[in-house]
């Protein structure tokens, strides 16, 4: 019997922010309106940034602290009930994935990776960052890359691409490589230019005459794909927007000291026939630039997709027992049971969060499973466990939630989330 088919919406943004700080309202870029309904919202946002300001002396700090761009996107999305899953960063390269809260407990095997290609692989100013995960019976890989610049260094861009697909390796069996996934989306400042023969002023004139097809015949990326040298495995929707680079800062006019080109791209691949019960498919509904964003010499590019998922495929997790109250500065007990074949593993943890948390990193406190505070009981129906949270877990009243995170080596998954519960101070 065929698996029930359902569509899942993805929204992509790629933007080289030229080391600037966020200044403009990001909601238009994200396609957000306060009048949007839940049916209109994307299920997941994928935001790839390049040239986020990064100083060599701050490389360690960059790993642990949220950059201003990530914070600004998170602030814009949290009003619509999105939660940041993870940030993967390599110097100026940043990949963020935000998911509607209702989908969190269906995420499994979240894994991240990076590949350096700058200075022959020694430096991370160029390269790729990525994230892969399973959700609703399918898996996907998301890649954000910044390749070698300059018109004449096409061979280096081709080499960068092939280095990334060779060196990128995940720890999830059967999907260790980028192209082993059901869905692959590759975004970023790919830095492909127009082949020689046209001066900057000629390109500008053709753009103003809406002769984009003439220019795209000279696009290095499309030529490279046709020749099978790089990106040949991926496809791209028709480009109907002006070149995205290079612009005068604070302007919608090209900086004609460089030849305008489409450096900022969104490509994808679907391995459509990997399951016997359903044919996978991705349909792209929009592909556009956003010229009114003027603080960078690049224009951001967005793309909206609908993909086929398999919601009938079970993703066994845990169920928290209802928590009617939680007391400040007292030890509190949490009960939960495993569903289906889900089981605890060394490294799993339960985090306590404010009810309105907007990032998986925003836990107030967490307790590891099996570290002396967990009790387990089993019967023929399910395995149940009890874990104690210390009296220092939360210091002030409010509404909170619990999240069970399965930490399996380099991967993580969200096995369960409690309903909101009140935190009280006991009356004396």
């Amino acid at each position: 019997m065929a698996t029930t088919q359902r569509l899942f919406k993805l929204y992509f943004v790629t933007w080289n922010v030229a080391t600037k700080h966020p200044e403009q309202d990001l909601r238009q870029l994200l396609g957000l309106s306060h009048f949007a309904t839940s049916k209109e919202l994307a299920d997941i946002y994928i935001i790839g940034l390049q040239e986020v300001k990064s100083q060599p002396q701050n490389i360690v700090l960059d790993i642990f602290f949220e950059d201003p761009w990530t914070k600004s996107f998170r602030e814009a999305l949290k009003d619509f009930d999105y939660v940041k899953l993870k940030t993967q960063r390599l110097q100026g390269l940043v990949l963020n994935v935000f998911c509607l809260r209702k989908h969190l407990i269906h995420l499994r095997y979240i894994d991240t990776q990076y590949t350096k290609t700058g200075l022959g692989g020694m430096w991370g100013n160029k390269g790729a960052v990525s994230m892969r995960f399973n959700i609703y019976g399918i898996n996907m890989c998301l890649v954000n890359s910044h390749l070698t610049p300059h018109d004449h260094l096409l061979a280096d861009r081709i080499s960068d691409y092939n280095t990334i697909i060779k060196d990128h390796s995940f720890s999830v069996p059967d999907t260790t490589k980028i192209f082993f996934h059901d869905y692959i989306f590759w975004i970023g400042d790919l830095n492909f230019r127009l082949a020689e023969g046209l001066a900057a002023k000629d390109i500008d004139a053709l753009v103003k005459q809406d002769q984009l097809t003439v220019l795209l015949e000279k696009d290095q990326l499309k030529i490279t794909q046709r020749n099978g040298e790089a990106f040949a495995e991926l496809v791209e929707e028709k480009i109907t927007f002006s070149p995205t680079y290079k612009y005068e800062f604070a302007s919608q006019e090209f900086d004609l000291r460089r030849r305008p080109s489409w450096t900022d791209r969104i490509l994808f691949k679907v391995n459509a026939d990997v399951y016997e019960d359903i044919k996978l498919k991705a349909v792209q509904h929009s592909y556009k630039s956003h010229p009114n964003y003027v603080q960078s010499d690049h224009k951001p590019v967005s793309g909206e997709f609908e993909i086929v998922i398999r919601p009938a495929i079970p993703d066994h997790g845990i169920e928290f027992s209802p928590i009617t109250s939680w007391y400040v500065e007292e030890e509190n007990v949490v009960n939960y049971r495993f569903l289906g074949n889900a089981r605890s593993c060394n490294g799993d943890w339960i985090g306590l969060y404010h009810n309105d948390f907007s990032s998986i990193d925003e836990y107030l406190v967490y307790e590891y499973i099996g570290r002396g505070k967990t009790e387990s009981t089993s019967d023929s129906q399910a395995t149940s466990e009890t874990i104690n949270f210390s009296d220092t877990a939360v210091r002030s009243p409010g509404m909170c939630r619990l999240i069970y995170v399965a930490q399996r080596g380099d991967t993580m998954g969200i096995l369960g989330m409690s309903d909101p519960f009140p935190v009280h101070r006991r009356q004396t």
Side-chain angles (χ1 to χ4, degrees):
M1 188 174 81
T3 297
T4 302
Q5 175 178 308
R6 201 175 91 199
L7 298 178
F8 201 68
K9 295 180 182 180
L10 308 175
Y11 194 109
F12 290 84
V13 172
T14 179
W15 194 6
N16 182 319
V17 297
T19 74
K20 304 300 182 183
H21 276 63
E23 297 170 358
Q24 296 177 261
D25 189 332
L26 297 171
R27 286 175 296 180
Q28 184 270 329
L29 175 57
L30 297 169
L32 293 173
S33 162
H34 283 300
F35 302 106
T37 67
S38 58
K39 289 184 178 180
E40 295 170 329
L41 293 172
D43 295 289
I44 292 180
Y45 274 87
I46 302 96
I47 299 170
L49 304 172
Q50 307 85 41
E51 292 194 26
V52 173
K53 190 171 185 179
S54 177
Q55 300 298 327
Q57 65 269 25
N58 292 337
I59 288 176
V60 174
L61 293 178
D62 288 344
I63 296 171
F64 295 104
F65 293 96
E66 200 170 61
D67 65 272
W69 283 99
T70 296
K71 182 178 179 181
S72 294
F73 278 109
R74 182 169 57 80
E75 291 291 325
L77 287 162
K78 74 177 185 180
D79 290 341
F80 297 85
D81 212 29
Y82 289 94
V83 175
K84 189 187 80 174
L85 298 184
K86 209 171 179 67
T87 298
Q88 176 69 345
R89 182 166 187 177
L90 174 65
Q91 288 179 224
L93 260 176
V94 177
L95 177 64
N96 285 304
V97 177
F98 298 86
C99 178
L100 281 174
R101 193 179 307 268
K102 65 182 181 180
H103 299 307
L104 286 178
I105 61 172
H106 301 284
L107 284 153
R108 301 290 185 271
Y109 301 110
I110 303 167
D111 195 7
T112 55
Q113 186 55 267
Y114 66 86
T115 296
K116 301 176 183 178
T117 60
L119 294 177
M122 296 171 57
W123 191 238
N125 64 322
K126 296 295 183 290
V129 289
S130 67
M131 189 180 308
R132 62 86 58 216
F133 53 81
N134 291 23
I135 190 167
Y136 294 119
I138 57 94
N139 58 67
M140 69 176 72
C141 182
L142 312 166
V143 182
N144 173 31
S145 65
H146 192 186
L147 307 185
T148 299
H150 305 306
D151 292 36
H152 64 288
L153 294 180
L154 173 60
D156 292 54
R157 288 187 277 284
I158 292 170
S159 176
D160 289 347
Y161 170 81
N162 287 293
T163 296
I164 291 164
I165 61 173
K166 177 175 69 74
D167 290 358
H168 242 58
S169 186
F170 299 101
S171 58
V172 180
D174 301 324
T175 58
T176 53
K177 293 297 183 180
I178 291 171
F179 288 112
F180 292 177
H181 292 79
D182 300 339
Y183 293 99
I184 302 97
F185 294 91
W186 195 307
I187 68 177
D189 179 359
L190 307 186
N191 256 323
F192 287 94
R193 311 303 173 91
L194 296 180
E196 295 181 5
L198 290 172
K201 63 180 183 355
D202 300 323
I203 297 170
D204 185 35
L206 287 167
V207 171
K208 288 175 178 174
Q209 296 165 21
D210 201 27
Q211 296 292 311
L212 301 185
T213 302
V214 174
L215 292 173
L216 286 165
E217 286 297 316
K218 293 180 173 290
D219 176 59
Q220 288 180 344
L221 176 54
K222 294 190 177 300
I223 295 168
T224 298
Q225 286 180 297
R226 289 197 295 269
N227 294 341
E229 296 171 298
F231 291 94
E233 300 90 341
L234 297 129
V235 297
E236 182 180 25
E237 185 64 31
K238 182 181 178 181
I239 292 176
T240 60
F241 49 87
S242 297
T244 56
Y245 175 82
K246 173 179 171 75
Y247 287 83
E248 299 278 1
F249 285 97
S251 171
Q252 296 188 31
E253 296 297 322
F254 290 121
D255 177 350
L256 295 179
R257 290 174 295 181
R258 295 284 179 88
R259 297 192 311 141
S261 54
W262 287 275
T263 56
D264 309 278
R265 312 289 276 265
I266 299 174
L267 300 97
F268 66 101
K269 175 181 173 59
V270 182
N271 287 312
D273 298 313
V274 291
Y275 303 108
E276 294 181 357
D277 57 350
I278 200 165
K279 189 177 184 71
L280 302 183
K281 184 179 181 181
V283 175
Q284 188 167 357
H285 292 294
S286 74
Y287 191 24
K288 59 187 179 182
S289 69
H290 298 260
N292 57 313
Y293 286 88
V294 297
Q295 60 187 101
S296 171
D297 53 356
H298 289 251
K299 299 303 179 186
V301 172
S302 67
E304 295 176 85
F305 291 81
E306 283 186 325
I307 64 169
V308 171
I309 57 172
R310 307 164 70 217
I313 304 301
D315 48 10
H316 302 303
I318 71 107
E319 180 179 73
F320 285 100
S321 298
I323 301 172
T324 56
S325 60
W326 186 293
Y327 290 102
V328 174
E329 297 178 347
E330 295 185 23
E331 186 173 89
N332 290 274
V333 178
V334 173
N335 298 295
Y336 55 94
R337 66 187 186 97
F338 291 93
L339 307 174
N341 59 13
R343 292 293 182 271
S344 63
C345 187
N346 188 37
D348 290 2
W349 53 275
I350 293 177
L352 177 67
Y353 293 76
H354 286 305
N355 183 42
D356 59 353
F357 73 98
S358 59
S359 170
I360 297 299
D361 298 329
E362 285 186 326
Y363 50 79
L364 301 172
V365 69
Y366 61 88
E367 293 285 356
Y368 280 109
I369 303 300
R371 296 279 179 93
K373 295 185 177 182
T374 309
E375 297 180 7
S376 180
T377 59
S378 295
D379 56 33
S380 59
Q381 301 298 315
T383 297
S384 298
E385 291 189 349
T386 298
I387 188 168
N388 296 338
F389 275 76
S390 72
D391 57 5
T392 60
V394 59
R395 297 302 186 113
S396 59
M399 294 295 293
C400 287
R401 284 181 186 262
L402 295 164
I403 294 180
Y404 188 112
V405 177
Q407 196 76 50
R408 311 290 161 87
D410 293 330
T411 75
M412 62 174 278
I414 313 298
L415 296 195
M417 181 167 60
S418 75
D419 291 331
F421 56 85
V423 174
H424 300 292
R425 188 178 301 278
R426 194 182 293 277
Q427 299 299 316
T428 57

